[in-house]
Amino acid sequence: MALTSTASSQEVLAGLVDRVTFHNSENGFCVLRVKARGQRDLITVVGHAAMISAGEFVQASGAWINDRTHGVQFKASFLKATAPTTVEGIEKYLGSGMIRGIGPVYAKKLVRAFGESVFDIIEEEPGRLREVTGIGPKRAERIIAGWGEQKVIREIMLFLHSNGVSTSRAVRIYKTYGTDAVRVISENPYRLARDIRGIGFRTADQIAVKLGIEKTALIRVRAGISFALSEAMAGIAVSLKRSSCRSRRSSSRSLRT
């Protein structure tokens, strides 16, 4: 596993997912056991991923923590998974059940038949899947559909990461918009502030800048006005609450005297 330090005191690592100990499909939180090159023991990585599977190659940035219950872990603020490139990783990935129609048995058969080219075969020559004993038309269709779903999710996560979205936020965005995520954000990134809890105008504006939206664009002006009004309303609500509290305290003191 490659391990380096960044200027922000965070560390960057990369390695092969040996197994997924836990994954919450709702918020993307995951606990991974990652194989470290040159080290005897597996490393525990915790972070967020829309989907993750054994055999995938992960890149992460974050910091080491010592959890009271689980011991030393790498807490990733950024986690990016890519399809494996080694025969071992490909077989583990296919055998994980992540792609419909493939389990450990067919993973072994596919790798034996196509080696490291198995992903290219599924995507570019799917008809050749039926060369593998036991794969008929229906199973081949499930494999092709499952691979297509995985590809869409990867493309969405890549788009979000490339536009400065953290992994945990990217998962929330994907869970909210699904396969329409890229289209929705490209058309109006300011929807994020309205639709996604934890994302405000400033974050949406940063994403908009990366997408090339001009500061004078009407869509930005409207979002800015809406943000300013909501901030003003929130300030008024706080002031009224404080005023009400002061009035109650004053009334209470008057009654005691």
Short mmCIF file of all heavy atoms in Angstrom, two decimals, residues 152-220:
data_model
loop_
_atom_site.label_atom_id
_atom_site.label_comp_id
_atom_site.label_asym_id
_atom_site.label_seq_id
_atom_site.Cartn_x
_atom_site.Cartn_y
_atom_site.Cartn_z
N VAL A 152 -22.54 3.37 -14.40
CA VAL A 152 -23.23 4.65 -14.20
C VAL A 152 -22.85 5.26 -12.85
O VAL A 152 -22.56 6.46 -12.75
CB VAL A 152 -24.77 4.46 -14.29
CG1 VAL A 152 -25.49 5.70 -13.80
CG2 VAL A 152 -25.17 4.15 -15.73
N ILE A 153 -22.85 4.44 -11.81
CA ILE A 153 -22.52 4.93 -10.47
C ILE A 153 -21.08 5.45 -10.44
O ILE A 153 -20.80 6.50 -9.87
CB ILE A 153 -22.72 3.82 -9.43
CG1 ILE A 153 -24.21 3.50 -9.31
CG2 ILE A 153 -22.17 4.24 -8.06
CD1 ILE A 153 -24.51 2.27 -8.48
N ARG A 154 -20.16 4.72 -11.06
CA ARG A 154 -18.76 5.17 -11.10
C ARG A 154 -18.63 6.51 -11.80
O ARG A 154 -17.89 7.38 -11.37
CB ARG A 154 -17.90 4.12 -11.82
CG ARG A 154 -17.69 2.84 -11.04
CD ARG A 154 -16.74 1.93 -11.80
NE ARG A 154 -16.72 0.61 -11.23
CZ ARG A 154 -16.07 0.28 -10.14
NH1 ARG A 154 -15.39 1.20 -9.48
NH2 ARG A 154 -16.11 -0.95 -9.66
N GLU A 155 -19.35 6.67 -12.91
CA GLU A 155 -19.27 7.92 -13.67
C GLU A 155 -19.82 9.09 -12.86
O GLU A 155 -19.27 10.20 -12.89
CB GLU A 155 -20.03 7.77 -14.99
CG GLU A 155 -19.32 6.86 -15.99
CD GLU A 155 -20.14 6.59 -17.23
OE1 GLU A 155 -21.35 6.94 -17.23
OE2 GLU A 155 -19.59 6.02 -18.20
N ILE A 156 -20.90 8.85 -12.12
CA ILE A 156 -21.48 9.90 -11.27
C ILE A 156 -20.50 10.31 -10.19
O ILE A 156 -20.26 11.50 -9.95
CB ILE A 156 -22.81 9.42 -10.65
CG1 ILE A 156 -23.89 9.31 -11.74
CG2 ILE A 156 -23.27 10.39 -9.55
CD1 ILE A 156 -25.16 8.63 -11.27
N MET A 157 -19.91 9.33 -9.50
CA MET A 157 -18.97 9.62 -8.42
C MET A 157 -17.74 10.34 -8.95
O MET A 157 -17.22 11.27 -8.33
CB MET A 157 -18.57 8.33 -7.70
CG MET A 157 -19.73 7.62 -7.01
SD MET A 157 -20.61 8.64 -5.79
CE MET A 157 -19.44 8.62 -4.45
N LEU A 158 -17.27 9.94 -10.13
CA LEU A 158 -16.11 10.60 -10.75
C LEU A 158 -16.44 12.06 -11.06
O LEU A 158 -15.64 12.96 -10.80
CB LEU A 158 -15.71 9.86 -12.03
CG LEU A 158 -14.52 10.45 -12.80
CD1 LEU A 158 -13.25 10.44 -11.95
CD2 LEU A 158 -14.29 9.68 -14.09
N PHE A 159 -17.63 12.31 -11.60
CA PHE A 159 -18.07 13.67 -11.92
C PHE A 159 -18.10 14.53 -10.65
O PHE A 159 -17.61 15.66 -10.63
CB PHE A 159 -19.46 13.62 -12.56
CG PHE A 159 -20.12 14.96 -12.71
CD1 PHE A 159 -19.81 15.80 -13.75
CD2 PHE A 159 -21.07 15.38 -11.78
CE1 PHE A 159 -20.42 17.05 -13.89
CE2 PHE A 159 -21.69 16.62 -11.90
CZ PHE A 159 -21.36 17.45 -12.96
N LEU A 160 -18.68 14.00 -9.59
CA LEU A 160 -18.79 14.74 -8.33
C LEU A 160 -17.42 15.01 -7.72
O LEU A 160 -17.13 16.12 -7.27
CB LEU A 160 -19.69 13.99 -7.35
CG LEU A 160 -21.16 13.85 -7.77
CD1 LEU A 160 -21.91 12.92 -6.83
CD2 LEU A 160 -21.83 15.22 -7.82
N HIS A 161 -16.57 14.00 -7.68
CA HIS A 161 -15.22 14.18 -7.12
C HIS A 161 -14.44 15.21 -7.91
O HIS A 161 -13.73 16.05 -7.33
CB HIS A 161 -14.47 12.84 -7.14
CG HIS A 161 -14.92 11.89 -6.08
ND1 HIS A 161 -14.85 10.52 -6.23
CD2 HIS A 161 -15.44 12.10 -4.84
CE1 HIS A 161 -15.31 9.94 -5.14
NE2 HIS A 161 -15.68 10.87 -4.28
N SER A 162 -14.55 15.16 -9.24
CA SER A 162 -13.79 16.09 -10.08
C SER A 162 -14.27 17.53 -9.92
O SER A 162 -13.56 18.47 -10.29
CB SER A 162 -13.88 15.67 -11.55
OG SER A 162 -15.20 15.78 -12.03
N ASN A 163 -15.46 17.71 -9.35
CA ASN A 163 -15.99 19.06 -9.13
C ASN A 163 -15.95 19.45 -7.66
O ASN A 163 -16.71 20.30 -7.20
CB ASN A 163 -17.42 19.16 -9.68
CG ASN A 163 -17.43 19.26 -11.19
OD1 ASN A 163 -17.05 20.28 -11.77
ND2 ASN A 163 -17.85 18.20 -11.85
N GLY A 164 -15.04 18.82 -6.93
CA GLY A 164 -14.75 19.25 -5.56
C GLY A 164 -15.72 18.77 -4.50
O GLY A 164 -15.74 19.31 -3.40
N VAL A 165 -16.54 17.76 -4.81
CA VAL A 165 -17.50 17.24 -3.83
C VAL A 165 -16.84 16.14 -3.01
O VAL A 165 -16.28 15.20 -3.59
CB VAL A 165 -18.76 16.70 -4.53
CG1 VAL A 165 -19.76 16.18 -3.51
CG2 VAL A 165 -19.39 17.78 -5.40
N SER A 166 -16.95 16.22 -1.69
CA SER A 166 -16.38 15.19 -0.84
C SER A 166 -17.15 13.88 -1.01
O SER A 166 -18.29 13.88 -1.48
CB SER A 166 -16.42 15.62 0.63
OG SER A 166 -17.77 15.64 1.10
N THR A 167 -16.54 12.77 -0.60
CA THR A 167 -17.16 11.47 -0.81
C THR A 167 -18.48 11.33 -0.06
O THR A 167 -19.47 10.83 -0.60
CB THR A 167 -16.20 10.35 -0.38
OG1 THR A 167 -14.96 10.50 -1.09
CG2 THR A 167 -16.77 8.98 -0.72
N SER A 168 -18.51 11.77 1.21
CA SER A 168 -19.75 11.63 1.99
C SER A 168 -20.88 12.44 1.37
O SER A 168 -22.04 12.00 1.31
CB SER A 168 -19.52 12.05 3.44
OG SER A 168 -19.08 13.39 3.53
N ARG A 169 -20.57 13.66 0.89
CA ARG A 169 -21.60 14.47 0.23
C ARG A 169 -21.99 13.86 -1.11
O ARG A 169 -23.16 13.91 -1.51
CB ARG A 169 -21.09 15.90 0.04
CG ARG A 169 -21.14 16.72 1.32
CD ARG A 169 -20.52 18.08 1.13
NE ARG A 169 -20.74 18.93 2.30
CZ ARG A 169 -20.09 20.05 2.52
NH1 ARG A 169 -19.18 20.47 1.65
NH2 ARG A 169 -20.34 20.77 3.60
N ALA A 170 -21.01 13.30 -1.82
CA ALA A 170 -21.30 12.68 -3.11
C ALA A 170 -22.29 11.53 -2.94
O ALA A 170 -23.19 11.34 -3.76
CB ALA A 170 -20.01 12.18 -3.75
N VAL A 171 -22.14 10.77 -1.87
CA VAL A 171 -23.06 9.66 -1.61
C VAL A 171 -24.47 10.19 -1.37
O VAL A 171 -25.45 9.67 -1.91
CB VAL A 171 -22.59 8.83 -0.40
CG1 VAL A 171 -23.66 7.81 0.00
CG2 VAL A 171 -21.29 8.10 -0.71
N ARG A 172 -24.59 11.28 -0.57
CA ARG A 172 -25.91 11.86 -0.30
C ARG A 172 -26.54 12.39 -1.59
O ARG A 172 -27.75 12.25 -1.80
CB ARG A 172 -25.80 12.99 0.73
CG ARG A 172 -25.41 12.52 2.11
CD ARG A 172 -25.90 13.48 3.19
NE ARG A 172 -25.36 14.81 3.05
CZ ARG A 172 -24.18 15.20 3.54
NH1 ARG A 172 -23.42 14.34 4.19
NH2 ARG A 172 -23.76 16.44 3.40
N ILE A 173 -25.72 12.98 -2.44
CA ILE A 173 -26.23 13.50 -3.72
C ILE A 173 -26.73 12.36 -4.59
O ILE A 173 -27.82 12.43 -5.17
CB ILE A 173 -25.13 14.31 -4.44
CG1 ILE A 173 -24.84 15.61 -3.68
CG2 ILE A 173 -25.54 14.62 -5.88
CD1 ILE A 173 -23.60 16.33 -4.15
N TYR A 174 -25.94 11.29 -4.67
CA TYR A 174 -26.35 10.14 -5.49
C TYR A 174 -27.64 9.52 -4.95
O TYR A 174 -28.54 9.16 -5.71
CB TYR A 174 -25.23 9.09 -5.53
CG TYR A 174 -25.70 7.80 -6.15
CD1 TYR A 174 -25.94 7.71 -7.51
CD2 TYR A 174 -25.94 6.67 -5.36
CE1 TYR A 174 -26.41 6.54 -8.09
CE2 TYR A 174 -26.40 5.50 -5.92
CZ TYR A 174 -26.63 5.44 -7.28
OH TYR A 174 -27.11 4.28 -7.84
N LYS A 175 -27.75 9.40 -3.62
CA LYS A 175 -28.94 8.80 -3.03
C LYS A 175 -30.18 9.67 -3.27
O LYS A 175 -31.29 9.16 -3.35
CB LYS A 175 -28.74 8.61 -1.52
CG LYS A 175 -27.71 7.55 -1.16
CD LYS A 175 -28.07 6.19 -1.68
CE LYS A 175 -27.03 5.15 -1.34
NZ LYS A 175 -27.37 3.81 -1.91
N THR A 176 -29.97 10.98 -3.41
CA THR A 176 -31.09 11.89 -3.64
C THR A 176 -31.53 11.91 -5.10
O THR A 176 -32.72 11.82 -5.41
CB THR A 176 -30.72 13.32 -3.21
OG1 THR A 176 -30.39 13.32 -1.81
CG2 THR A 176 -31.88 14.29 -3.44
N TYR A 177 -30.57 12.01 -6.02
CA TYR A 177 -30.89 12.19 -7.43
C TYR A 177 -30.75 10.92 -8.27
O TYR A 177 -31.24 10.88 -9.41
CB TYR A 177 -30.01 13.28 -8.05
CG TYR A 177 -30.14 14.64 -7.40
CD1 TYR A 177 -29.02 15.37 -7.03
CD2 TYR A 177 -31.39 15.21 -7.16
CE1 TYR A 177 -29.13 16.62 -6.45
CE2 TYR A 177 -31.52 16.46 -6.58
CZ TYR A 177 -30.38 17.15 -6.22
OH TYR A 177 -30.50 18.40 -5.64
N GLY A 178 -30.08 9.91 -7.74
CA GLY A 178 -29.90 8.68 -8.49
C GLY A 178 -29.12 8.89 -9.78
O GLY A 178 -28.18 9.68 -9.83
N THR A 179 -29.56 8.24 -10.84
CA THR A 179 -28.84 8.31 -12.11
C THR A 179 -28.98 9.68 -12.79
O THR A 179 -28.31 9.94 -13.78
CB THR A 179 -29.34 7.22 -13.08
OG1 THR A 179 -30.76 7.33 -13.24
CG2 THR A 179 -29.02 5.83 -12.53
N ASP A 180 -29.85 10.54 -12.25
CA ASP A 180 -30.02 11.89 -12.81
C ASP A 180 -29.06 12.90 -12.19
O ASP A 180 -29.13 14.09 -12.50
CB ASP A 180 -31.46 12.39 -12.59
CG ASP A 180 -32.47 11.64 -13.44
OD1 ASP A 180 -32.09 11.21 -14.55
OD2 ASP A 180 -33.62 11.47 -12.99
N ALA A 181 -28.19 12.45 -11.29
CA ALA A 181 -27.34 13.36 -10.52
C ALA A 181 -26.52 14.30 -11.41
O ALA A 181 -26.50 15.52 -11.18
CB ALA A 181 -26.42 12.57 -9.59
N VAL A 182 -25.86 13.76 -12.41
CA VAL A 182 -25.00 14.59 -13.27
C VAL A 182 -25.85 15.63 -14.00
O VAL A 182 -25.47 16.80 -14.07
CB VAL A 182 -24.22 13.72 -14.27
CG1 VAL A 182 -23.47 14.59 -15.27
CG2 VAL A 182 -23.24 12.80 -13.53
N ARG A 183 -26.99 15.21 -14.55
CA ARG A 183 -27.85 16.14 -15.28
C ARG A 183 -28.38 17.25 -14.37
O ARG A 183 -28.31 18.43 -14.73
CB ARG A 183 -29.03 15.38 -15.90
CG ARG A 183 -30.02 16.28 -16.65
CD ARG A 183 -31.25 15.51 -17.11
NE ARG A 183 -31.98 14.92 -16.01
CZ ARG A 183 -32.81 15.61 -15.22
NH1 ARG A 183 -32.99 16.90 -15.40
NH2 ARG A 183 -33.46 15.00 -14.24
N VAL A 184 -28.86 16.88 -13.20
CA VAL A 184 -29.45 17.86 -12.27
C VAL A 184 -28.41 18.90 -11.86
O VAL A 184 -28.67 20.11 -11.89
CB VAL A 184 -30.01 17.16 -11.02
CG1 VAL A 184 -30.38 18.18 -9.94
CG2 VAL A 184 -31.24 16.34 -11.40
N ILE A 185 -27.22 18.44 -11.47
CA ILE A 185 -26.19 19.36 -10.99
C ILE A 185 -25.65 20.22 -12.12
O ILE A 185 -25.35 21.40 -11.92
CB ILE A 185 -25.05 18.57 -10.30
CG1 ILE A 185 -25.61 17.87 -9.06
CG2 ILE A 185 -23.90 19.49 -9.91
CD1 ILE A 185 -24.67 16.87 -8.45
N SER A 186 -25.51 19.64 -13.30
CA SER A 186 -25.02 20.41 -14.44
C SER A 186 -25.99 21.53 -14.81
O SER A 186 -25.59 22.63 -15.17
CB SER A 186 -24.80 19.49 -15.65
OG SER A 186 -23.80 18.53 -15.37
N GLU A 187 -27.30 21.24 -14.71
CA GLU A 187 -28.31 22.23 -15.06
C GLU A 187 -28.44 23.31 -13.99
O GLU A 187 -28.60 24.49 -14.31
CB GLU A 187 -29.67 21.54 -15.26
CG GLU A 187 -29.73 20.68 -16.51
CD GLU A 187 -31.06 19.94 -16.63
OE1 GLU A 187 -31.88 20.04 -15.69
OE2 GLU A 187 -31.26 19.26 -17.65
N ASN A 188 -28.39 22.89 -12.72
CA ASN A 188 -28.57 23.86 -11.63
C ASN A 188 -27.93 23.35 -10.34
O ASN A 188 -28.60 22.72 -9.52
CB ASN A 188 -30.06 24.13 -11.39
CG ASN A 188 -30.28 25.18 -10.32
OD1 ASN A 188 -29.34 25.77 -9.81
ND2 ASN A 188 -31.54 25.42 -9.97
N PRO A 189 -26.64 23.61 -10.14
CA PRO A 189 -25.96 23.12 -8.94
C PRO A 189 -26.52 23.72 -7.64
O PRO A 189 -26.32 23.16 -6.57
CB PRO A 189 -24.51 23.55 -9.15
CG PRO A 189 -24.58 24.69 -10.11
CD PRO A 189 -25.73 24.36 -11.01
N TYR A 190 -27.25 24.84 -7.75
CA TYR A 190 -27.80 25.49 -6.56
C TYR A 190 -28.97 24.71 -5.97
O TYR A 190 -29.39 24.98 -4.85
CB TYR A 190 -28.20 26.93 -6.87
CG TYR A 190 -27.00 27.77 -7.25
CD1 TYR A 190 -26.71 28.05 -8.57
CD2 TYR A 190 -26.12 28.23 -6.26
CE1 TYR A 190 -25.58 28.79 -8.92
CE2 TYR A 190 -25.00 28.96 -6.60
CZ TYR A 190 -24.73 29.24 -7.93
OH TYR A 190 -23.61 29.96 -8.26
N ARG A 191 -29.48 23.72 -6.72
CA ARG A 191 -30.50 22.84 -6.17
C ARG A 191 -29.96 22.05 -4.97
O ARG A 191 -30.74 21.63 -4.11
CB ARG A 191 -31.00 21.87 -7.24
CG ARG A 191 -32.06 22.45 -8.15
CD ARG A 191 -32.70 21.38 -9.01
NE ARG A 191 -33.34 20.33 -8.21
CZ ARG A 191 -33.99 19.31 -8.76
NH1 ARG A 191 -34.08 19.21 -10.08
NH2 ARG A 191 -34.55 18.39 -8.00
N LEU A 192 -28.67 21.86 -4.96
CA LEU A 192 -28.06 21.11 -3.86
C LEU A 192 -28.36 21.74 -2.51
O LEU A 192 -28.63 21.05 -1.52
CB LEU A 192 -26.54 21.02 -4.05
CG LEU A 192 -26.05 20.21 -5.26
CD1 LEU A 192 -24.56 20.43 -5.47
CD2 LEU A 192 -26.36 18.74 -5.07
N ALA A 193 -28.30 23.07 -2.47
CA ALA A 193 -28.55 23.79 -1.21
C ALA A 193 -29.99 23.62 -0.75
O ALA A 193 -30.27 23.65 0.45
CB ALA A 193 -28.23 25.27 -1.39
N ARG A 194 -30.88 23.41 -1.69
CA ARG A 194 -32.30 23.25 -1.36
C ARG A 194 -32.66 21.80 -1.04
O ARG A 194 -33.50 21.54 -0.18
CB ARG A 194 -33.14 23.74 -2.55
CG ARG A 194 -34.65 23.78 -2.29
CD ARG A 194 -35.39 24.22 -3.53
NE ARG A 194 -35.33 23.22 -4.59
CZ ARG A 194 -35.36 23.50 -5.89
NH1 ARG A 194 -35.42 24.76 -6.30
NH2 ARG A 194 -35.32 22.54 -6.79
N ASP A 195 -32.00 20.88 -1.74
CA ASP A 195 -32.43 19.47 -1.67
C ASP A 195 -31.61 18.60 -0.74
O ASP A 195 -32.10 17.57 -0.27
CB ASP A 195 -32.37 18.84 -3.07
CG ASP A 195 -33.31 19.53 -4.07
OD1 ASP A 195 -34.25 20.20 -3.61
OD2 ASP A 195 -33.08 19.39 -5.28
N ILE A 196 -30.33 18.96 -0.49
CA ILE A 196 -29.43 18.08 0.27
C ILE A 196 -29.12 18.66 1.63
O ILE A 196 -28.55 19.76 1.73
CB ILE A 196 -28.10 17.84 -0.49
CG1 ILE A 196 -28.37 17.47 -1.96
CG2 ILE A 196 -27.27 16.78 0.21
CD1 ILE A 196 -29.03 16.14 -2.14
N ARG A 197 -29.50 17.95 2.67
CA ARG A 197 -29.20 18.41 4.02
C ARG A 197 -27.69 18.47 4.24
O ARG A 197 -26.97 17.54 3.90
CB ARG A 197 -29.83 17.45 5.05
CG ARG A 197 -29.70 17.89 6.49
CD ARG A 197 -30.60 17.04 7.38
NE ARG A 197 -30.31 15.63 7.24
CZ ARG A 197 -29.38 14.99 7.96
NH1 ARG A 197 -28.66 15.66 8.84
NH2 ARG A 197 -29.17 13.70 7.80
N GLY A 198 -27.21 19.57 4.79
CA GLY A 198 -25.78 19.71 5.04
C GLY A 198 -25.02 20.43 3.94
O GLY A 198 -23.83 20.71 4.07
N ILE A 199 -25.70 20.74 2.83
CA ILE A 199 -25.08 21.50 1.74
C ILE A 199 -25.78 22.85 1.65
O ILE A 199 -26.99 22.91 1.43
CB ILE A 199 -25.17 20.75 0.40
CG1 ILE A 199 -24.38 19.44 0.47
CG2 ILE A 199 -24.64 21.64 -0.74
CD1 ILE A 199 -24.37 18.65 -0.83
N GLY A 200 -25.02 23.92 1.84
CA GLY A 200 -25.59 25.26 1.79
C GLY A 200 -25.22 25.98 0.50
O GLY A 200 -24.60 25.41 -0.40
N PHE A 201 -25.58 27.27 0.45
CA PHE A 201 -25.33 28.06 -0.76
C PHE A 201 -23.84 28.13 -1.09
O PHE A 201 -23.44 28.01 -2.25
CB PHE A 201 -25.89 29.48 -0.58
CG PHE A 201 -25.47 30.42 -1.67
CD1 PHE A 201 -26.12 30.41 -2.90
CD2 PHE A 201 -24.42 31.31 -1.49
CE1 PHE A 201 -25.73 31.28 -3.92
CE2 PHE A 201 -24.02 32.18 -2.50
CZ PHE A 201 -24.69 32.16 -3.72
N ARG A 202 -23.00 28.33 -0.06
CA ARG A 202 -21.56 28.52 -0.31
C ARG A 202 -20.95 27.29 -0.96
O ARG A 202 -20.15 27.39 -1.90
CB ARG A 202 -20.84 28.87 0.99
CG ARG A 202 -21.22 30.25 1.54
CD ARG A 202 -20.41 30.61 2.77
NE ARG A 202 -20.75 31.93 3.27
CZ ARG A 202 -21.72 32.17 4.14
NH1 ARG A 202 -22.44 31.15 4.61
NH2 ARG A 202 -21.97 33.40 4.56
N THR A 203 -21.32 26.10 -0.47
CA THR A 203 -20.80 24.86 -1.06
C THR A 203 -21.32 24.70 -2.49
O THR A 203 -20.55 24.35 -3.40
CB THR A 203 -21.22 23.65 -0.21
OG1 THR A 203 -20.69 23.80 1.11
CG2 THR A 203 -20.69 22.35 -0.82
N ALA A 204 -22.61 24.93 -2.68
CA ALA A 204 -23.19 24.82 -4.03
C ALA A 204 -22.53 25.82 -4.98
O ALA A 204 -22.29 25.52 -6.15
CB ALA A 204 -24.69 25.06 -3.96
N ASP A 205 -22.20 27.00 -4.46
CA ASP A 205 -21.57 28.04 -5.28
C ASP A 205 -20.16 27.62 -5.70
O ASP A 205 -19.73 27.89 -6.83
CB ASP A 205 -21.53 29.35 -4.50
CG ASP A 205 -21.26 30.55 -5.39
OD1 ASP A 205 -21.80 30.59 -6.52
OD2 ASP A 205 -20.51 31.45 -4.97
N GLN A 206 -19.44 26.95 -4.81
CA GLN A 206 -18.10 26.46 -5.15
C GLN A 206 -18.17 25.44 -6.28
O GLN A 206 -17.34 25.44 -7.19
CB GLN A 206 -17.44 25.84 -3.91
CG GLN A 206 -17.05 26.85 -2.85
CD GLN A 206 -16.62 26.19 -1.55
OE1 GLN A 206 -16.60 24.97 -1.43
NE2 GLN A 206 -16.26 27.00 -0.56
N ILE A 207 -19.17 24.57 -6.21
CA ILE A 207 -19.36 23.57 -7.27
C ILE A 207 -19.74 24.27 -8.57
O ILE A 207 -19.25 23.90 -9.65
CB ILE A 207 -20.45 22.56 -6.86
CG1 ILE A 207 -19.99 21.77 -5.63
CG2 ILE A 207 -20.79 21.62 -8.01
CD1 ILE A 207 -21.07 20.93 -4.98
N ALA A 208 -20.60 25.30 -8.48
CA ALA A 208 -21.02 26.04 -9.66
C ALA A 208 -19.82 26.69 -10.36
O ALA A 208 -19.73 26.69 -11.59
CB ALA A 208 -22.04 27.11 -9.26
N VAL A 209 -18.90 27.24 -9.57
CA VAL A 209 -17.70 27.86 -10.14
C VAL A 209 -16.89 26.83 -10.92
O VAL A 209 -16.41 27.10 -12.03
CB VAL A 209 -16.84 28.50 -9.02
CG1 VAL A 209 -15.48 28.91 -9.55
CG2 VAL A 209 -17.56 29.70 -8.43
N LYS A 210 -16.74 25.63 -10.33
CA LYS A 210 -15.98 24.57 -11.01
C LYS A 210 -16.66 24.13 -12.30
O LYS A 210 -16.01 23.70 -13.25
CB LYS A 210 -15.79 23.38 -10.08
CG LYS A 210 -14.75 23.60 -8.99
CD LYS A 210 -14.55 22.36 -8.15
CE LYS A 210 -13.41 22.54 -7.16
NZ LYS A 210 -12.09 22.60 -7.83
N LEU A 211 -17.99 24.26 -12.33
CA LEU A 211 -18.74 23.89 -13.53
C LEU A 211 -18.73 25.00 -14.57
O LEU A 211 -19.26 24.83 -15.67
CB LEU A 211 -20.18 23.55 -13.16
CG LEU A 211 -20.40 22.23 -12.41
CD1 LEU A 211 -21.84 22.13 -11.91
CD2 LEU A 211 -20.08 21.05 -13.32
N GLY A 212 -18.14 26.16 -14.21
CA GLY A 212 -18.02 27.25 -15.17
C GLY A 212 -19.18 28.23 -15.19
O GLY A 212 -19.30 29.02 -16.14
N ILE A 213 -20.02 28.22 -14.19
CA ILE A 213 -21.14 29.17 -14.13
C ILE A 213 -20.62 30.55 -13.73
O ILE A 213 -19.93 30.69 -12.72
CB ILE A 213 -22.22 28.68 -13.14
CG1 ILE A 213 -22.88 27.40 -13.69
CG2 ILE A 213 -23.27 29.76 -12.88
CD1 ILE A 213 -23.90 26.78 -12.78
N GLU A 214 -20.95 31.56 -14.51
CA GLU A 214 -20.46 32.92 -14.28
C GLU A 214 -21.07 33.52 -13.01
O GLU A 214 -22.20 33.19 -12.63
CB GLU A 214 -20.82 33.81 -15.48
CG GLU A 214 -20.18 33.39 -16.79
CD GLU A 214 -18.67 33.60 -16.81
OE1 GLU A 214 -18.20 34.45 -16.04
OE2 GLU A 214 -17.99 32.93 -17.60
N LYS A 215 -20.32 34.43 -12.38
CA LYS A 215 -20.81 35.08 -11.16
C LYS A 215 -22.04 35.94 -11.41
O LYS A 215 -22.82 36.21 -10.50
CB LYS A 215 -19.70 35.92 -10.54
CG LYS A 215 -18.57 35.09 -9.94
CD LYS A 215 -17.56 35.96 -9.22
CE LYS A 215 -16.50 35.11 -8.54
NZ LYS A 215 -15.51 35.93 -7.80
N THR A 216 -22.18 36.40 -12.66
CA THR A 216 -23.32 37.26 -12.99
C THR A 216 -24.49 36.47 -13.57
O THR A 216 -25.50 37.07 -13.96
CB THR A 216 -22.87 38.32 -14.02
OG1 THR A 216 -22.31 37.66 -15.17
CG2 THR A 216 -21.86 39.27 -13.42
N ALA A 217 -24.38 35.16 -13.63
CA ALA A 217 -25.45 34.33 -14.21
C ALA A 217 -26.74 34.48 -13.40
O ALA A 217 -26.71 34.56 -12.17
CB ALA A 217 -25.02 32.87 -14.25
N LEU A 218 -27.87 34.52 -14.10
CA LEU A 218 -29.16 34.71 -13.45
C LEU A 218 -29.44 33.62 -12.42
O LEU A 218 -29.99 33.89 -11.35
CB LEU A 218 -30.28 34.75 -14.51
CG LEU A 218 -31.69 35.04 -14.00
CD1 LEU A 218 -31.74 36.39 -13.30
CD2 LEU A 218 -32.68 35.00 -15.17
N ILE A 219 -29.05 32.40 -12.75
CA ILE A 219 -29.30 31.27 -11.84
C ILE A 219 -28.58 31.48 -10.51
O ILE A 219 -29.08 31.13 -9.44
CB ILE A 219 -28.86 29.94 -12.52
CG1 ILE A 219 -29.35 28.75 -11.72
CG2 ILE A 219 -27.36 29.88 -12.69
CD1 ILE A 219 -29.08 27.43 -12.41
N ARG A 220 -27.38 32.09 -10.58
CA ARG A 220 -26.61 32.35 -9.35
C ARG A 220 -27.22 33.52 -8.57
O ARG A 220 -27.29 33.48 -7.34
CB ARG A 220 -25.15 32.66 -9.69
CG ARG A 220 -24.28 32.88 -8.46
CD ARG A 220 -22.82 33.10 -8.83
NE ARG A 220 -21.99 33.15 -7.64
CZ ARG A 220 -21.70 34.27 -6.96
NH1 ARG A 220 -22.22 35.43 -7.36
NH2 ARG A 220 -20.94 34.21 -5.89
#
